[in-house]
Amino acid sequence: MIPNIFKAYDIRGLVGSELTKQFAFSTGVAFAKFLELEREPATVVIGEDMRPSSPELADAFSAGVTSQGLDVIRIGLASTDMLYFAAGKLNLPGAMFTASHNPAEYNGIKLCLSGARPIGKESGLLTIEKFVREGVPVSLRPVGVENHKEMLQDYVDHLLTLVDVSGIRKLNIVVDAGNGMAGHTAPAVFSRMNVDVTEMYYELDGTFPNHEANPIDEANLADLKEMVKTLPENCETIDDYLLLANIYVSIQERLYFKLKQIKRTEYNWISPSILEQCNKCLEDTIGKECEIGGVSVEKMITHHSYEEQQKIIDRFLMPYLIENNLEGTEFRFTAIVDMITPKS
C-alpha cells in the first residue's frame, strides 16, 4: 500500500514505515516517466542531506531513474538550495533528499524540472503520485548511467557573485549549524570572506543530538544566544544586522509599492533597478544632509561601523519611520539575495 506522503510541494514521511527504499525506487521510476512526458532532459541531478537514511534512499531513487534509461548525476552532500543551483546551472531536472526542519525520523524528496523550476501538486506532483500508485510500463531503453560531480565550489562561486563582499569590514559572527547541512556549506562560503566565525554544532549528524533543526522554535536558539553573550562587548551581534536589514527592506518595499500602487503579495522581490530607485529615494529623503556623508543604506549596512549606523538610524531613519507611521510596523526580513536578485 502506498502511503499518503505526497504533500503540496514535496514528499515527506517516516523512514521505514512510510518512506522506504522500495518507495524511493518507485518514485524514481515515476519521475523518469513524468520527465519523458514533459520532454525534459534525459539526465537527473540528485543531492542528499546528512540524515542517515538519505544515501540509501537516494541510491534507490537513482536506480529507479536509470532503470527507465535516464542518466543520473550525483552531487553528494548538498543543501536544498545547492541542489536547486545545480539544476539551474546544469539545466537539468533534480531531486533532493531532505526533510528540511522535520525531526530525525523523517525524510523526504523535493523535485524540480530543468532550470530549477519547482514541482508541486499543480505542476506535476499529482501525476508522479499517480504513476507511483498505478505503476508504469517497463522501459525498453538501455539502463542509464550514474555519474558523480562536485558542485560545492561552483555553488560558493555563484553565491559570492550576488553581493560584492570585497569591501566589507571584518565581522565576528557565531553560526549554529544545528548538525545540519550548514556545517557543510557555511565553511566553504565564510572561508572566502573577511569574517571570524565561532562554529557551533558543525558536525554533520542527522540524528540532531544537540537540538532540532528548526530555528522557528525559540528553544533551538538557546545555545546560540548563550554563545553570543560571550562575545566581546564591542562586537556586533546578528540582531543588529537584522534590525538594519529589516528597516532597510521595509522602507524600500513601501516606497516601491507606493509608487506602483500594487499589493505587497503581488511583488515580493526587488530587482537591481528598483534597488537603485529606492536608494535614490532614501538619499533624497533622509541621506543628503547626513553628518557622515550622503550614502545609500546598502552601503551604510555593509561599510560603516555600528556607531555610525546608529547615528544614521537615530537622526534620519527613525524620524522618517515616525513621520510615515511605519515605526510600529512588524518588519519582514528579506535575505540579501532576495533583496537584490530578480526571480524568474
Side-chain angles (χ1 to χ4, degrees):
M1 181 177 177
I2 303 299
N4 294 314
I5 60 176
F6 285 85
K7 311 300 181 181
Y9 299 104
D10 61 5
I11 301 166
R12 274 171 287 125
L14 289 167
V15 174
S17 59
E18 296 177 328
L19 188 50
T20 64
K21 289 189 288 184
Q22 181 57 50
F23 177 89
F25 178 88
S26 298
T27 305
V29 171
F31 188 47
K33 181 62 176 178
F34 170 73
L35 295 176
E36 181 183 350
L37 294 178
E38 293 292 311
R39 299 185 182 278
E40 280 282 287
T43 301
V44 177
V45 58
I46 300 175
E48 63 202 57
D49 71 8
M50 69 296 139
R51 292 171 186 261
S53 60
S54 289
E56 65 180 16
L57 292 174
D59 286 346
F61 182 88
S62 177
V65 171
T66 55
S67 74
Q68 298 301 296
L70 275 66
D71 294 333
V72 162
I73 295 176
R74 301 283 292 271
I75 63 171
L77 285 170
S79 58
T80 301
D81 48 328
M82 181 175 156
L83 182 278
Y84 289 149
F85 161 76
K89 181 177 176 63
L90 301 175
N91 198 30
L92 297 175
M96 178 66 199
F97 282 81
T98 180
S100 300
H101 297 147
N102 285 277
E105 58 268 26
Y106 285 84
N107 212 326
I109 314 171
K110 297 181 184 293
L111 302 169
C112 68
L113 296 167
S114 58
R117 290 171 292 150
I119 294 177
K121 281 205 168 180
E122 303 304 318
S123 52
L125 202 53
L126 283 174
T127 302
I128 295 168
E129 180 180 9
K130 180 176 182 290
F131 289 158
V132 171
R133 295 187 181 281
E134 298 179 1
V136 299
V138 176
S139 174
L140 298 179
R141 296 178 178 177
V143 174
V145 176
E146 181 184 89
N147 291 301
H148 295 260
K149 184 175 180 63
E150 168 61 46
M151 294 295 295
L152 179 59
Q153 290 309 312
D154 287 342
Y155 171 61
V156 174
D157 289 344
H158 173 70
L159 290 181
L160 295 178
T161 67
L162 299 177
V163 179
D164 181 7
V165 298
S166 60
I168 293 180
R169 59 193 174 85
K170 190 167 188 176
L171 299 175
N172 295 289
I173 62 175
V174 181
V175 177
D176 179 349
N179 301 109
M181 289 310 302
H184 179 66
T185 57
V189 175
F190 289 131
S191 66
R192 293 170 57 180
M193 296 177 62
N194 187 25
V195 295
D196 282 336
V197 180
T198 300
E199 299 179 351
M200 296 180 62
Y201 309 142
Y202 268 44
E203 302 82 8
L204 300 182
D205 188 340
T207 66
F208 305 114
N210 294 291
H211 58 71
E212 288 187 356
N214 182 5
I216 297 176
D217 186 343
E218 283 288 323
N220 296 329
L221 302 178
D223 292 349
L224 177 63
K225 290 179 178 179
E226 288 302 313
M227 182 62 73
V228 168
K229 291 178 183 178
T230 69
L231 295 176
E233 290 184 2
N234 62 344
C235 286
E236 300 86 355
T237 69
I238 190 64
D239 289 339
D240 299 322
Y241 291 98
L242 291 181
L243 171 64
L244 289 167
N246 288 344
I247 290 174
Y248 175 41
V249 174
S250 178
I251 293 176
Q252 284 194 86
E253 288 181 336
R254 282 164 177 76
L255 286 172
Y256 178 73
F257 293 132
K258 183 177 179 181
L259 288 172
K260 294 296 183 182
Q261 296 182 333
I262 62 174
K263 293 180 180 178
R264 186 184 195 86
T265 54
E266 294 174 357
Y267 200 94
N268 60 6
W269 58 268
I270 300 174
S271 69
S273 62
I274 299 304
L275 182 66
E276 184 178 347
Q277 290 178 37
C278 291
N279 270 326
K280 186 177 187 307
C281 290
L282 287 168
E283 289 173 3
D284 289 346
T285 306
I286 59 176
K288 276 190 173 178
E289 298 178 1
C290 179
E291 285 180 343
I292 59 175
V295 296
S296 71
V297 179
E298 180 183 28
K299 186 176 180 183
M300 176 192 81
I301 291 174
T302 57
H303 288 74
H304 288 277
S305 70
Y306 178 62
E307 291 75 16
E308 290 172 329
Q309 293 166 359
Q310 288 302 311
K311 284 183 182 179
I312 295 175
I313 290 175
D314 293 341
R315 182 170 178 185
F316 297 103
L317 289 184
M318 290 313 296
Y320 178 84
L321 295 176
I322 293 171
E323 180 184 346
N324 291 275
N325 298 316
L326 300 176
E327 78 280 6
T329 302
E330 188 174 311
F331 297 121
R332 178 178 69 84
F333 176 69
T334 299
I336 295 297
V337 172
D338 289 332
M339 186 170 69
I340 68 172
T341 306
K343 286 182 170 58
S344 56

